[in-house]
Structures are given as C-alpha cells and as structure tokens.
Amino acid sequence: MREPIRVKDLDPTLREELAGLLNGYDFSNCLTCGMCTAGCIYSDLHKDQDPRKFIRKVALGMREEAENDPFIWNCTMCNRCTVECPMGVNMNALTRAFRGKVERAPGYLQVIADDHIRTGNQMGVEQIDFDETLEWIEEMLQEDLKDPTYKIPLDVPNADFFFGFNAREIKHYPADLQSILNVFHAAGANFTISSKRWDATNICLFTGKDDEFAEISRPMFEEAERLNAKEIIVTECGHAFRSTRVFARDYWQGKPMPVRHIMELYADWIKDGTIKLDKTRNTIPVTLHDPCNTVRKEGVVDPQRYVLSHAVMDFREMTPNREHNICCGAGGGAGAVAESKEMRMIKAKPKVDQLLATGAKIGCIPCHNCMDQFVDMNRHYKLGMKMMHLTALVETAMGLMDEDKQFSH
C-alpha cells in the first residue's frame, strides 16, 4: 500500500518554479479527468507511463516524486494526450521542463548535444567528411544527369531558400540527400547549402536545456542571414523541422526567417507547375505516417497528403490519422536513451497494427528519427514492407527514378 500523502511534505513552490521555466504557462486548469491517460496509447503497455498520475504529482507539489518519476524519460513527448485534453494542458512542455532540471540527460542524449556543439552537427561529422560526402554526391549526380558541370550550390548568396538537413543524410543515408538534390535540380530551384552549418536538428528539443538549444541552432540561422536567404527549408525530419521553427519563433533576434518543411515546398511546386508528377509510375500501395513534431505540434497536415495524391496510385490512410495518428514509439529522444530498444519495440506494436490494417506495402515516413524506428519495427515484426521518404516517391513520379530501383530503408 502506498504511503499517505502528507501536506507537510508538499512543496507549493514547485508550481511557481515550473511557471518560470515555461514562461508563465500555468497547468492548474487540469481537471484530473484522465483524458490524457486515455489518449496515451502507451499507458497500458508498460509501467510508469501514466500522464495523469504525473501531472497530479506536479500539481500537488510532490517535488521529489515528480522529479524522479520514470515517466519523464518514458514519455515520447508526442502530445497525443494534449490533443485529447479538454483544457489543452501541454504535457510535452511540462515533461521537457522536468527533463531540463536534471544535470545530465540519460543515454546518448547529452553526448549528441555535446557533439553538436563541438562539431556543428549531431553526428559529429568532421568537415573533411562532410566535404568528401558532398563531392561524392556531386559526382553521382553529374553521372546521372549526364552533366559534368553540375555543382551543389554551396554558400550562394541571395537564394530563394537555405536548405537545412539531418546529419544522418551525410553520415548514413547520402542517397536520401542525393534524391532531394535531384528533385531540386529538376525543379530549377534557386537554393543554397552552407558549407559550415547545415544540420537543422537539435537534440536539446528533448533534453530541455534551453541554453544549449540556443547554442546549437543559432549558428545555422546566422549562416542563413549571412547568405541573405529568403527562407529556410528543412528536410524530412520532424524534430529538425520543429526545433528550427521553435528557434525562429522564440529565440532568433536577427532578420526574420520563415521556416517551412520540404513537404510544403513540394506541394507548392506541384500546384504552380514547377514539377510535374505522373502517379502511374508509383503503383504499389502506400500509407503515410504522421510525425508528431511535424503534424501534431507544428500543424503541417495537408501538404504531404496533397503530394501523395499526385505521386502514387494507391494511397491508404492509417486509422486514426493526422493529429490523432499514433507516435512511432521513438519520439522524445527515445532512440538515443541507452537500453531502450526493447521498450521501443513494445511501443511500436500499435503502429505495427496500424500499418498492417492498411494492407500497404510501402510506408511513407517523412522523418529520419521515425524512419529509424520503422526500420527496426519492420525487422523485429517481420513486416516485409519498404520504408521510404516522401522524396523517393516524388523522384519516381517525376520520372527521375524507376519504381523498381527506388531506394528504401
């Protein structure tokens, strides 16, 4: 039996402290109705995953219990609970505030942050490796395009957009970056990539360290301002997109810098005729995952569906979808927390059920962090599916790649 809660042990200053960390946000309108727990798809899958219990500890001032609650790091910060909350209590913000109170984040989270501060990217890619990878991609595109003069536009001033991407696209998946650049070339895009600060990700979106969050994102914005780009376009990565948007909205003091997702760019290009797609080139049934940071938190819901409706013959929605779609199970930095793979695969089961219910053979996963989780669940549950980014399907529909030669993860 649990020890009774004693008033003398409660700390009434906890609420004020958190309000300071959250810029005055007050969560006292919580009704303790339990809709957050009902909305959390993981609350019944493993222990210490009950948002209602956690927020009550916070509201009551149970400082020690709240600060040491495993929920803080078990939570994927997907905010599905907030979608269900009748009072709109932002559990993602509350969880992040508690994470920021610890001295050092668990697993590899702090290592990733330290590497990003040291090298300018989350994967610790050194400058020589970045340069050589771009050179290799450039040579591949010159061969594919049959144009020996093709050059990746580095440090070009006054471009229509500055392209920020994920370090995985340099270190592990250069073919993804090659596909994007192939589409950009076919669209005649006027864009640039910085030779120095190009990684749009920021792991401190999950660690809660605001000072390190600013230190990581500011140099990329300074590069975009130096090059006088009109806006920043972010690659298929939910956390890179959201962290860039958050920095632009809440931290950046320089030239106003709009931030858009690459899916929004593709949708605009299709609408104005910049690129022309033939959906008959993609015949295999496709379903779409909604990354939490892109859809639920930043409200980019329709562009990806517009693109898919023009890019594939057979698009099948998951149920539920859009802002009610289910987190992949690896959000909130879960993929970087040590010994978390077993838990990630437990959390993957609801998403696996969603995938199988569609009967689709391709999962369109417009997020690198989610992609890593989908690749793992594909193997673990022996789904036999192809996991692809949206760009690969666009590239095929444009006639730049044959369907049977598509790159998948």
Side-chain angles (χ1 to χ4, degrees):
M1 181 179 293
R2 178 181 168 80
E3 290 290 322
I5 299 173
R6 302 186 184 280
V7 175
K8 67 180 182 66
D9 295 329
L10 304 181
D11 185 349
T13 68
L14 180 60
R15 179 177 295 177
E16 294 180 5
E17 178 184 324
L18 288 170
L21 292 172
L22 298 171
N23 297 318
Y25 174 74
D26 186 7
F27 49 86
S28 60
N29 58 351
C30 170
L31 302 174
T32 70
C33 65
M35 285 300 294
C36 54
T37 299
C40 178
I41 201 72
Y42 307 124
S43 60
D44 294 329
L45 293 183
H46 62 83
K47 65 178 183 177
D48 301 316
Q49 185 65 49
D50 189 330
R52 179 177 179 271
K53 288 182 180 179
F54 176 68
I55 198 170
R56 293 316 296 159
K57 291 176 184 179
V58 177
L60 289 169
M62 301 171 67
R63 178 182 290 274
E64 184 176 353
E65 289 87 345
E67 291 181 345
N68 293 290
D69 195 327
F71 172 85
I72 294 170
W73 298 102
N74 286 347
C75 176
T76 61
M77 301 170 68
C78 78
N79 249 20
R80 198 169 190 271
C81 55
T82 296
V83 170
E84 303 295 341
C85 176
M87 305 306 292
V89 174
N90 192 329
M91 188 63 70
N92 169 76
L94 190 60
T95 303
R96 185 177 183 275
F98 269 88
R99 289 184 174 195
K101 288 161 62 67
V102 304
E103 183 176 349
R104 189 172 180 84
Y108 298 104
L109 290 172
Q110 192 59 52
V111 173
I112 293 171
D114 292 343
D115 280 346
H116 205 144
I117 292 170
R118 177 180 64 83
T119 66
N121 66 89
Q122 66 156 318
M123 306 296 293
V125 175
E126 299 295 344
Q127 187 66 43
I128 187 172
D129 296 317
F130 175 75
D131 294 340
E132 288 179 351
T133 300
L134 283 192
E135 183 180 344
W136 174 81
I137 293 174
E138 193 171 79
E139 290 173 354
M140 293 295 291
L141 282 169
Q142 287 173 352
E143 182 177 339
D144 291 345
L145 298 170
K146 296 180 174 54
D147 179 4
T149 67
Y150 170 82
K151 293 291 182 184
I152 295 174
L154 293 176
D155 302 324
V156 175
N158 306 314
D160 289 340
F161 66 88
F162 176 105
F163 182 50
F165 45 101
N166 187 309
R168 284 179 175 87
E169 290 169 331
I170 286 293
K171 188 165 185 176
H172 297 305
Y173 306 120
D176 288 341
L177 183 55
Q178 181 180 337
S179 290
I180 292 169
L181 295 177
N182 197 15
V183 173
F184 285 1
H185 177 267
N190 174 23
F191 74 102
T192 191
I193 292 173
S194 169
S195 62
K196 303 297 181 185
R197 302 300 290 231
W198 40 269
D199 189 353
T201 67
N202 193 329
I203 202 69
C204 294
L205 185 70
F206 307 135
T207 67
K209 304 292 187 184
D210 288 340
D211 55 342
E212 293 182 356
F213 179 87
E215 187 176 357
I216 285 172
S217 288
R218 184 176 293 109
M220 191 184 77
F221 274 76
E222 290 173 344
E223 276 291 274
E225 182 178 55
R226 179 182 71 83
L227 295 169
N228 198 36
K230 294 181 178 66
E231 65 175 339
I232 295 175
I233 296 294
V234 180
T235 194
E236 294 183 56
C237 176
H239 114 245
F241 175 62
R242 175 163 167 76
S243 58
T244 305
R245 269 265 186 96
V246 168
F247 186 84
R249 193 164 53 226
D250 299 339
Y251 293 84
W252 179 237
Q253 299 296 315
K255 168 191 170 184
M257 195 67 65
V259 176
R260 288 197 298 155
H261 198 287
I262 195 171
M263 298 183 300
E264 297 176 280
L265 179 68
Y266 290 160
D268 284 349
W269 280 349
I270 294 169
K271 290 174 184 176
D272 67 18
T274 298
I275 59 176
K276 300 185 186 303
L277 277 59
D278 179 359
K279 66 171 66 177
T280 64
R281 293 188 174 112
N282 283 311
T283 60
I284 302 172
V286 177
T287 191
L288 172 69
H289 170 63
D290 289 302
C292 304
N293 282 304
T294 304
V295 177
R296 204 160 15 243
K297 298 178 188 177
E298 290 299 328
V300 178
V301 180
D302 295 322
Q304 55 271 46
R305 290 172 165 82
Y306 181 83
V307 174
L308 276 176
S309 71
H310 288 76
V312 305
M313 289 286 290
D314 188 352
F315 168 40
R316 306 178 183 184
E317 286 275 19
M318 295 185 197
T319 303
N321 53 60
R322 295 173 169 82
E323 66 270 18
H324 293 284
N325 209 330
I326 297 171
C327 172
C328 68
V337 176
E339 300 178 350
S340 67
K341 186 171 182 180
E342 181 180 357
M343 184 181 291
R344 284 198 291 113
M345 290 302 99
I346 291 172
K347 287 185 172 181
K349 188 58 169 63
K351 180 56 68 175
V352 167
D353 293 340
Q354 275 196 301
L355 287 169
L356 293 176
T358 67
K361 301 301 180 184
I362 293 176
C364 178
I365 320 298
C367 174
H368 270 286
N369 184 71
C370 296
M371 179 63 82
D372 287 350
Q373 173 76 340
F374 273 81
V375 169
D376 284 345
M377 74 171 77
N378 197 18
R379 292 170 181 163
H380 184 83
Y381 289 99
K382 298 179 172 59
L383 303 179
M385 295 181 68
K386 292 174 70 174
M387 302 302 176
M388 302 174 65
H389 290 302
L390 183 64
T391 297
L393 295 166
V394 170
E395 187 181 29
T396 301
M398 291 176 68
L400 306 176
M401 175 69 68
D402 293 333
E403 186 176 23
D404 60 354
K405 296 179 181 178
Q406 287 171 332
F407 175 75
S408 62
H409 292 261

